[in-house]
């Protein structure tokens, strides 16, 4: 099988699609965020297409999809919709697409179930557990009120998922148009993220598990406050390194396709290890999660990214507590302080 010559292919414009290889089409979907696009993939499947990831559920996304149905998909139907993981830019239009084509949704179980819960939270009040979690992180009353006000945003850009789905599991083989795609599950960025690996053509649909220029968010969330996603993330890097050849063509959800996955995985590992080292260096005095933002992040933390920053800070602090290098103590007002053990 010929190596895919992607190097000659210009990146599609926002809302446009380009054929990357026989039976693999790259659709660049606009996003209404500072990260302004997501790469979606169309895989030929008989006389139809498998849609991998979907964009957020907005009018713009649906308009791009309608153009794509007639354009890149040549009027042929979707045969399945796959969501690599539950984040809104990946799963937002999944419910609409499966309904439009009358097809099934393929996801891993943890992603599907958690996504159903988060969509179901839309319009609810922020739970006490979540407010306690962010108070422990060091949020002040104004920041907690903002969290309350924004709670339940998830479902505003994610359409309702179908009531049943088809489960993807690590090691599954999905065959589309004679090409076998192996499911490799990664963890840490989301609970059970599916990557799709075509060993024969040496190409990987990586979702957010491996990105070329940005480091995927690895966060603790209030639903599981004692989770250790950074450990999961490091374990997944080890697994992906062992499973993938260095020259695999990586098709990431953001940025451009690239080769050299071992170098990139090592960079992602090192970035977090460096942050852990920096946290330890500055941890002689007790600090709250919000006090270590300046250690972990180069850019300013504002109302729009404080929740993500807190999640990422807590994932690093939790990792160090679990390795025994740090200790955490909660004071009488419920605020959690971390220091070197
Ligand atoms: Zn994601």
């Amino acid at each position: 099988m010929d190596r895919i010559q992607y190097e000659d292919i210009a990146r599609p414009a926002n809302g446009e699609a380009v054929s990357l290889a026989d039976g693999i089409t790259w659709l660049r979907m606009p996003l209404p965020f500072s990260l302004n696009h997501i790469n979606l993939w169309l895989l030929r499947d008989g006389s139809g297409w498998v849609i991998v990831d979907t964009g957020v559920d907005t009018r713009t996304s649906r308009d791009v999809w309608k153009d794509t149905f007639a354009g890149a998909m040549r009027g042929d139907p979707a045969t399945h919709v796959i969501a690599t993981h539950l984040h809104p830019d990946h799963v937002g239009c999944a419910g609409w697409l499966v309904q439009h084509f009358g097809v099934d949704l393929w996801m891993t179980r943890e992603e599907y179930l958690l996504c159903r819960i988060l969509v179901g939270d839309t319009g609810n009040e922020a739970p006490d557990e979540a407010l306690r979690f962010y108070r422990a992180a060091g949020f002040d009353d104004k920041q907690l009120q903002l969290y309350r006000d924004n709670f339940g945003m998830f479902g505003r850009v994610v359409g309702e998922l179908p009531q049943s789905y088809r489960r993807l599991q690590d090691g599954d083989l999905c065959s589309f148009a004679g090409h076998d795609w192996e499911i490799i599950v990664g963890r840490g960025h989301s609970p059970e993220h599916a990557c799709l690996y075509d060993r024969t053509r040496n190409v990987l649909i990586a979702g957010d598990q491996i990105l070329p220029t940005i480091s995927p968010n690895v966060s603790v969330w209030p639903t599981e406050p004692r989770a250790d996603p950074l450990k999961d993330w490091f374990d997944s890097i080890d697994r992906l390194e062992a499973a993938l050849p260095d020259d695999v063509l990586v098709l990431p959800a953001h940025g451009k396709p690239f080769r050299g996955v071992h170098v990139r995985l090592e960079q992602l590992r090192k970035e977090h290890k460096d942050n852990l080292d920096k946290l330890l260096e500055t941890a002689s005095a007790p600090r709250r999660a919000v006090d270590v933002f300046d250690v972990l992040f180069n850019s300013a933390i504002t109302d729009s990214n404080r929740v993500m920053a807190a999640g990422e800070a807590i994932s690093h602090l939790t990792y160090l507590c679990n390795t025994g290098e740090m200790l955490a103590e909660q004071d009488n007002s419920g605020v959690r302080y971390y220091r070197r053990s």
Side-chain angles (χ1 to χ4, degrees), residues 84-90 189-190 193 207-209 216-217 254:
T84 57
H85 65 298
L86 63 82
H87 292 154
D89 46 338
H90 298 260
H189 171 68
S190 68
H193 181 301
D208 282 348
Q209 191 70 34
N217 178 273
H254 310 284

Side-chain angles (χ1 to χ4, degrees), residues 14-29:
N14 258 2
E16 302 284 323
V18 63
S19 174
L20 190 80
D22 184 33
I24 305 177
T25 293
W26 171 12
L27 169 62
R28 189 172 153 107
M29 176 67 82

Side-chain angles (χ1 to χ4, degrees), residues 216-281:
N217 178 273
V218 176
S219 273
V220 179
W221 299 99
T223 38
E224 197 181 331
R226 294 289 174 267
D228 190 351
L230 191 54
K231 165 128 189 9
D232 296 340
W233 179 250
F234 285 137
D235 290 348
S236 291
I237 288 178
D238 294 346
R239 276 205 65 207
L240 289 161
E241 231 168 27
L244 300 170
D246 185 46
D247 65 350
V248 67
L249 175 62
V250 180
L251 308 182
H254 310 284
K256 288 186 71 176
F258 67 99
R259 295 189 202 271
V261 75
H262 289 182
V263 170
R264 184 59 190 143
L265 287 169
E266 175 53 26
Q267 287 170 347
L268 290 169
R269 179 191 284 124
K270 187 172 181 310
E271 196 170 317
H272 290 291
K273 295 266 185 205
D274 288 350
N275 279 339
L276 293 171
D277 289 343
K278 282 192 274 178
L279 280 176
L280 279 176
E281 280 165 25

